Short mmCIF file of all heavy atoms in Angstrom, two decimals:
data_model
loop_
_atom_site.label_atom_id
_atom_site.label_comp_id
_atom_site.label_asym_id
_atom_site.label_seq_id
_atom_site.Cartn_x
_atom_site.Cartn_y
_atom_site.Cartn_z
N LEU A 275 -7.94 -4.64 -9.03
CA LEU A 275 -6.74 -4.02 -8.42
C LEU A 275 -6.99 -3.76 -6.92
O LEU A 275 -6.07 -3.91 -6.10
CB LEU A 275 -6.33 -2.71 -9.11
CG LEU A 275 -5.65 -2.89 -10.44
CD1 LEU A 275 -5.37 -1.53 -11.07
CD2 LEU A 275 -4.38 -3.67 -10.27
N GLY A 276 -8.21 -3.37 -6.57
CA GLY A 276 -8.55 -3.13 -5.17
C GLY A 276 -8.39 -4.39 -4.35
O GLY A 276 -7.74 -4.37 -3.26
N ILE A 277 -8.91 -5.49 -4.83
CA ILE A 277 -8.80 -6.76 -4.10
C ILE A 277 -7.35 -7.16 -4.02
O ILE A 277 -6.85 -7.56 -2.97
CB ILE A 277 -9.63 -7.85 -4.80
CG1 ILE A 277 -11.13 -7.54 -4.65
CG2 ILE A 277 -9.30 -9.24 -4.23
CD1 ILE A 277 -12.04 -8.37 -5.49
N TRP A 278 -6.60 -7.04 -5.12
CA TRP A 278 -5.22 -7.43 -5.13
C TRP A 278 -4.41 -6.58 -4.16
O TRP A 278 -3.54 -7.14 -3.40
CB TRP A 278 -4.63 -7.25 -6.55
CG TRP A 278 -3.23 -7.62 -6.68
CD1 TRP A 278 -2.69 -8.89 -6.73
CD2 TRP A 278 -2.11 -6.74 -6.78
NE1 TRP A 278 -1.31 -8.82 -6.86
CE2 TRP A 278 -0.93 -7.49 -6.85
CE3 TRP A 278 -2.00 -5.35 -6.77
CZ2 TRP A 278 0.31 -6.92 -6.96
CZ3 TRP A 278 -0.73 -4.77 -6.90
CH2 TRP A 278 0.40 -5.57 -6.95
N LEU A 279 -4.65 -5.29 -4.07
CA LEU A 279 -3.87 -4.42 -3.13
C LEU A 279 -4.20 -4.78 -1.67
O LEU A 279 -3.33 -4.71 -0.84
CB LEU A 279 -4.17 -2.96 -3.43
CG LEU A 279 -3.40 -2.37 -4.59
CD1 LEU A 279 -3.98 -1.00 -4.94
CD2 LEU A 279 -1.94 -2.30 -4.34
N VAL A 280 -5.46 -5.10 -1.39
CA VAL A 280 -5.79 -5.49 -0.02
C VAL A 280 -5.06 -6.80 0.34
O VAL A 280 -4.52 -6.92 1.45
CB VAL A 280 -7.31 -5.63 0.17
CG1 VAL A 280 -7.65 -6.30 1.45
CG2 VAL A 280 -7.96 -4.26 0.07
N VAL A 281 -5.00 -7.74 -0.57
CA VAL A 281 -4.28 -9.01 -0.32
C VAL A 281 -2.81 -8.76 -0.12
O VAL A 281 -2.16 -9.31 0.78
CB VAL A 281 -4.53 -9.99 -1.50
CG1 VAL A 281 -3.62 -11.24 -1.35
CG2 VAL A 281 -6.01 -10.45 -1.48
N VAL A 282 -2.20 -7.88 -0.97
CA VAL A 282 -0.81 -7.54 -0.82
C VAL A 282 -0.57 -6.86 0.53
O VAL A 282 0.42 -7.11 1.22
CB VAL A 282 -0.35 -6.60 -1.99
CG1 VAL A 282 0.99 -5.94 -1.68
CG2 VAL A 282 -0.30 -7.41 -3.26
N GLY A 283 -1.49 -6.00 0.92
CA GLY A 283 -1.37 -5.32 2.20
C GLY A 283 -1.41 -6.26 3.37
O GLY A 283 -0.64 -6.13 4.35
N ILE A 284 -2.29 -7.27 3.28
CA ILE A 284 -2.37 -8.28 4.37
C ILE A 284 -1.08 -9.07 4.42
O ILE A 284 -0.54 -9.36 5.49
CB ILE A 284 -3.59 -9.18 4.18
CG1 ILE A 284 -4.89 -8.36 4.43
CG2 ILE A 284 -3.57 -10.38 5.09
CD1 ILE A 284 -6.16 -9.06 4.03
N ALA A 285 -0.54 -9.46 3.25
CA ALA A 285 0.71 -10.19 3.21
C ALA A 285 1.85 -9.34 3.79
O ALA A 285 2.69 -9.87 4.54
CB ALA A 285 1.04 -10.59 1.76
N ALA A 286 1.88 -8.05 3.49
CA ALA A 286 2.94 -7.20 4.02
C ALA A 286 2.75 -7.03 5.55
O ALA A 286 3.77 -6.99 6.26
CB ALA A 286 2.88 -5.81 3.35
N LEU A 287 1.51 -6.99 5.99
CA LEU A 287 1.25 -6.90 7.44
C LEU A 287 1.77 -8.16 8.13
O LEU A 287 2.41 -8.08 9.22
CB LEU A 287 -0.23 -6.69 7.67
CG LEU A 287 -0.64 -6.33 9.09
CD1 LEU A 287 0.00 -5.02 9.51
CD2 LEU A 287 -2.16 -6.24 9.14
N LEU A 288 1.54 -9.32 7.53
CA LEU A 288 2.02 -10.56 8.13
C LEU A 288 3.57 -10.65 8.13
O LEU A 288 4.15 -11.33 8.95
CB LEU A 288 1.44 -11.77 7.42
CG LEU A 288 -0.07 -11.93 7.54
CD1 LEU A 288 -0.57 -13.07 6.65
CD2 LEU A 288 -0.44 -12.21 9.00
N ASP A 289 4.18 -9.93 7.15
CA ASP A 289 5.63 -9.90 7.08
C ASP A 289 6.22 -8.71 7.88
O ASP A 289 7.38 -8.45 7.80
CB ASP A 289 6.01 -9.72 5.57
CG ASP A 289 7.43 -10.14 5.33
OD1 ASP A 289 7.95 -11.00 6.08
OD2 ASP A 289 8.04 -9.60 4.36
N ARG A 290 5.37 -8.06 8.66
CA ARG A 290 5.71 -6.93 9.54
C ARG A 290 6.29 -5.73 8.81
O ARG A 290 7.17 -5.05 9.30
CB ARG A 290 6.65 -7.43 10.64
CG ARG A 290 6.00 -8.46 11.51
CD ARG A 290 6.85 -8.93 12.60
NE ARG A 290 6.15 -10.01 13.24
CZ ARG A 290 6.36 -10.41 14.47
NH1 ARG A 290 7.25 -9.82 15.17
NH2 ARG A 290 5.66 -11.42 14.93
N GLN A 291 5.78 -5.50 7.61
CA GLN A 291 6.14 -4.32 6.88
C GLN A 291 4.96 -3.36 6.92
O GLN A 291 4.15 -3.29 6.01
CB GLN A 291 6.50 -4.70 5.39
CG GLN A 291 7.65 -5.61 5.30
CD GLN A 291 7.94 -5.98 3.87
OE1 GLN A 291 7.22 -5.57 2.94
NE2 GLN A 291 9.00 -6.79 3.68
N ARG A 292 4.86 -2.64 8.03
CA ARG A 292 3.62 -1.89 8.36
C ARG A 292 3.39 -0.76 7.39
O ARG A 292 2.22 -0.49 7.06
CB ARG A 292 3.74 -1.36 9.81
CG ARG A 292 3.67 -2.47 10.81
CD ARG A 292 3.66 -1.92 12.21
NE ARG A 292 3.54 -3.05 13.13
CZ ARG A 292 4.13 -3.07 14.30
NH1 ARG A 292 4.85 -2.04 14.70
NH2 ARG A 292 3.97 -4.09 15.07
N ILE A 293 4.40 -0.06 6.95
CA ILE A 293 4.18 1.09 6.03
C ILE A 293 3.67 0.61 4.71
O ILE A 293 2.70 1.13 4.14
CB ILE A 293 5.47 1.95 5.86
CG1 ILE A 293 5.83 2.57 7.20
CG2 ILE A 293 5.30 2.95 4.75
CD1 ILE A 293 7.12 3.31 7.23
N LYS A 294 4.28 -0.46 4.15
CA LYS A 294 3.79 -1.05 2.90
C LYS A 294 2.37 -1.58 3.07
O LYS A 294 1.51 -1.40 2.18
CB LYS A 294 4.69 -2.18 2.42
CG LYS A 294 6.01 -1.73 1.88
CD LYS A 294 6.83 -2.91 1.42
CE LYS A 294 8.22 -2.48 0.98
NZ LYS A 294 9.04 -3.64 0.58
N ALA A 295 2.09 -2.24 4.17
CA ALA A 295 0.78 -2.80 4.41
C ALA A 295 -0.26 -1.68 4.47
O ALA A 295 -1.31 -1.77 3.85
CB ALA A 295 0.78 -3.57 5.74
N PHE A 296 -0.01 -0.62 5.22
CA PHE A 296 -0.94 0.48 5.37
C PHE A 296 -1.21 1.13 4.00
O PHE A 296 -2.35 1.36 3.61
CB PHE A 296 -0.40 1.52 6.35
CG PHE A 296 -1.25 2.71 6.52
CD1 PHE A 296 -2.42 2.65 7.27
CD2 PHE A 296 -0.93 3.92 5.87
CE1 PHE A 296 -3.26 3.80 7.36
CE2 PHE A 296 -1.74 5.00 5.96
CZ PHE A 296 -2.92 4.94 6.76
N THR A 297 -0.12 1.39 3.25
CA THR A 297 -0.28 2.03 1.96
C THR A 297 -1.12 1.18 1.01
O THR A 297 -2.02 1.67 0.36
CB THR A 297 1.09 2.30 1.34
OG1 THR A 297 1.87 3.09 2.28
CG2 THR A 297 0.99 3.02 0.03
N ALA A 298 -0.82 -0.09 0.93
CA ALA A 298 -1.52 -1.00 0.00
C ALA A 298 -2.98 -1.17 0.41
O ALA A 298 -3.85 -1.15 -0.46
CB ALA A 298 -0.84 -2.36 -0.07
N ILE A 299 -3.24 -1.28 1.69
CA ILE A 299 -4.62 -1.48 2.17
C ILE A 299 -5.45 -0.23 1.93
O ILE A 299 -6.58 -0.33 1.47
CB ILE A 299 -4.63 -1.93 3.63
CG1 ILE A 299 -4.12 -3.40 3.71
CG2 ILE A 299 -6.04 -1.85 4.20
CD1 ILE A 299 -3.93 -3.91 5.11
N VAL A 300 -4.89 0.91 2.23
CA VAL A 300 -5.66 2.19 1.98
C VAL A 300 -5.91 2.36 0.51
O VAL A 300 -7.05 2.73 0.10
CB VAL A 300 -4.88 3.40 2.57
CG1 VAL A 300 -5.48 4.68 2.10
CG2 VAL A 300 -4.87 3.31 4.11
N ALA A 301 -4.92 2.14 -0.36
CA ALA A 301 -5.14 2.26 -1.78
C ALA A 301 -6.19 1.24 -2.29
O ALA A 301 -7.06 1.58 -3.08
CB ALA A 301 -3.84 2.05 -2.56
N GLY A 302 -6.11 0.03 -1.80
CA GLY A 302 -7.06 -1.01 -2.14
C GLY A 302 -8.48 -0.66 -1.75
O GLY A 302 -9.43 -0.82 -2.51
N ILE A 303 -8.64 -0.15 -0.49
CA ILE A 303 -9.95 0.24 -0.03
C ILE A 303 -10.52 1.38 -0.84
O ILE A 303 -11.70 1.44 -1.17
CB ILE A 303 -9.90 0.56 1.46
CG1 ILE A 303 -9.73 -0.75 2.27
CG2 ILE A 303 -11.17 1.27 1.93
CD1 ILE A 303 -9.45 -0.52 3.74
N GLY A 304 -9.64 2.31 -1.23
CA GLY A 304 -10.06 3.45 -2.07
C GLY A 304 -10.56 2.98 -3.41
O GLY A 304 -11.62 3.44 -3.87
N LEU A 305 -9.87 2.06 -4.02
CA LEU A 305 -10.32 1.51 -5.33
C LEU A 305 -11.60 0.72 -5.20
O LEU A 305 -12.49 0.76 -6.04
CB LEU A 305 -9.20 0.63 -5.96
CG LEU A 305 -8.02 1.40 -6.51
CD1 LEU A 305 -6.95 0.44 -6.94
CD2 LEU A 305 -8.43 2.27 -7.68
N LEU A 306 -11.76 -0.04 -4.11
CA LEU A 306 -12.97 -0.78 -3.88
C LEU A 306 -14.16 0.15 -3.59
O LEU A 306 -15.29 -0.15 -4.00
CB LEU A 306 -12.78 -1.81 -2.76
CG LEU A 306 -11.88 -2.98 -3.09
CD1 LEU A 306 -11.62 -3.84 -1.86
CD2 LEU A 306 -12.47 -3.81 -4.21
N PHE A 307 -13.89 1.29 -2.97
CA PHE A 307 -14.93 2.25 -2.75
C PHE A 307 -15.38 2.86 -4.08
O PHE A 307 -16.59 3.00 -4.34
CB PHE A 307 -14.41 3.36 -1.83
CG PHE A 307 -15.42 4.45 -1.57
CD1 PHE A 307 -16.44 4.24 -0.64
CD2 PHE A 307 -15.39 5.67 -2.24
CE1 PHE A 307 -17.38 5.22 -0.41
CE2 PHE A 307 -16.33 6.64 -2.02
CZ PHE A 307 -17.33 6.44 -1.10
N ASN A 308 -14.43 3.15 -4.97
CA ASN A 308 -14.76 3.61 -6.31
C ASN A 308 -15.59 2.56 -7.07
O ASN A 308 -16.54 2.89 -7.77
CB ASN A 308 -13.51 3.92 -7.16
CG ASN A 308 -12.73 5.12 -6.66
OD1 ASN A 308 -11.55 5.25 -6.93
ND2 ASN A 308 -13.34 6.01 -5.91
N TRP A 309 -15.19 1.32 -6.95
CA TRP A 309 -15.89 0.24 -7.63
C TRP A 309 -17.34 0.12 -7.12
O TRP A 309 -18.25 -0.01 -7.92
CB TRP A 309 -15.14 -1.06 -7.38
CG TRP A 309 -15.87 -2.28 -7.83
CD1 TRP A 309 -16.02 -2.76 -9.09
CD2 TRP A 309 -16.65 -3.17 -7.02
NE1 TRP A 309 -16.78 -3.90 -9.13
CE2 TRP A 309 -17.20 -4.14 -7.86
CE3 TRP A 309 -16.92 -3.22 -5.66
CZ2 TRP A 309 -18.04 -5.17 -7.35
CZ3 TRP A 309 -17.74 -4.22 -5.17
CH2 TRP A 309 -18.25 -5.21 -6.02
N ALA A 310 -17.50 0.22 -5.79
CA ALA A 310 -18.82 0.01 -5.22
C ALA A 310 -19.76 1.23 -5.48
O ALA A 310 -20.94 1.01 -5.77
CB ALA A 310 -18.71 -0.20 -3.70
N THR A 311 -19.26 2.43 -5.40
CA THR A 311 -20.09 3.59 -5.56
C THR A 311 -20.18 4.06 -7.00
O THR A 311 -21.01 4.92 -7.34
CB THR A 311 -19.60 4.79 -4.72
OG1 THR A 311 -18.26 5.13 -5.13
CG2 THR A 311 -19.60 4.43 -3.25
N GLN A 312 -19.30 3.60 -7.88
CA GLN A 312 -19.16 4.02 -9.27
C GLN A 312 -18.86 5.51 -9.36
O GLN A 312 -19.26 6.18 -10.30
CB GLN A 312 -20.41 3.67 -10.06
CG GLN A 312 -20.62 2.19 -10.17
CD GLN A 312 -21.81 1.86 -11.05
OE1 GLN A 312 -22.43 2.73 -11.68
NE2 GLN A 312 -22.19 0.58 -11.09
N PHE A 313 -18.18 6.04 -8.39
CA PHE A 313 -17.79 7.45 -8.38
C PHE A 313 -16.34 7.59 -8.00
O PHE A 313 -15.86 6.95 -7.06
CB PHE A 313 -18.66 8.27 -7.38
CG PHE A 313 -18.23 9.71 -7.31
CD1 PHE A 313 -18.60 10.59 -8.30
CD2 PHE A 313 -17.45 10.18 -6.26
CE1 PHE A 313 -18.21 11.91 -8.24
CE2 PHE A 313 -17.05 11.49 -6.20
CZ PHE A 313 -17.43 12.36 -7.20
N CYS A 314 -15.63 8.47 -8.69
CA CYS A 314 -14.22 8.78 -8.41
C CYS A 314 -14.07 10.30 -8.42
O CYS A 314 -14.39 10.96 -9.38
CB CYS A 314 -13.34 8.15 -9.48
SG CYS A 314 -11.57 8.58 -9.26
N GLY A 315 -13.56 10.82 -7.28
CA GLY A 315 -13.35 12.25 -7.17
C GLY A 315 -12.35 12.79 -8.19
O GLY A 315 -12.51 13.86 -8.73
N CYS A 316 -11.30 12.01 -8.48
CA CYS A 316 -10.32 12.45 -9.47
C CYS A 316 -10.93 12.52 -10.86
O CYS A 316 -10.68 13.45 -11.64
CB CYS A 316 -9.10 11.54 -9.47
SG CYS A 316 -8.07 11.70 -8.03
#
């Protein structure tokens, strides 16, 4: 899901939908951080 959200964010950025792009990229990076560290604060 992290990879998918980053890709969606990049596509939204190319489509000039900055709010959607920012939201998707931040969520994707958060999930990838959880994946890499194996830790989730929630």
Side-chain angles (χ1 to χ4, degrees):
L275 284 177
I277 292 169
W278 180 76
L279 282 170
V280 169
V281 170
V282 166
I284 292 170
L287 191 60
L288 293 174
D289 200 28
R290 298 182 186 202
Q291 297 178 359
R292 292 184 179 146
I293 295 174
K294 286 181 185 178
F296 177 77
T297 305
I299 289 172
V300 168
I303 289 172
L305 287 173
L306 289 173
F307 180 79
N308 292 158
W309 170 80
T311 62
Q312 296 183 6
F313 177 77
C314 175
C316 289

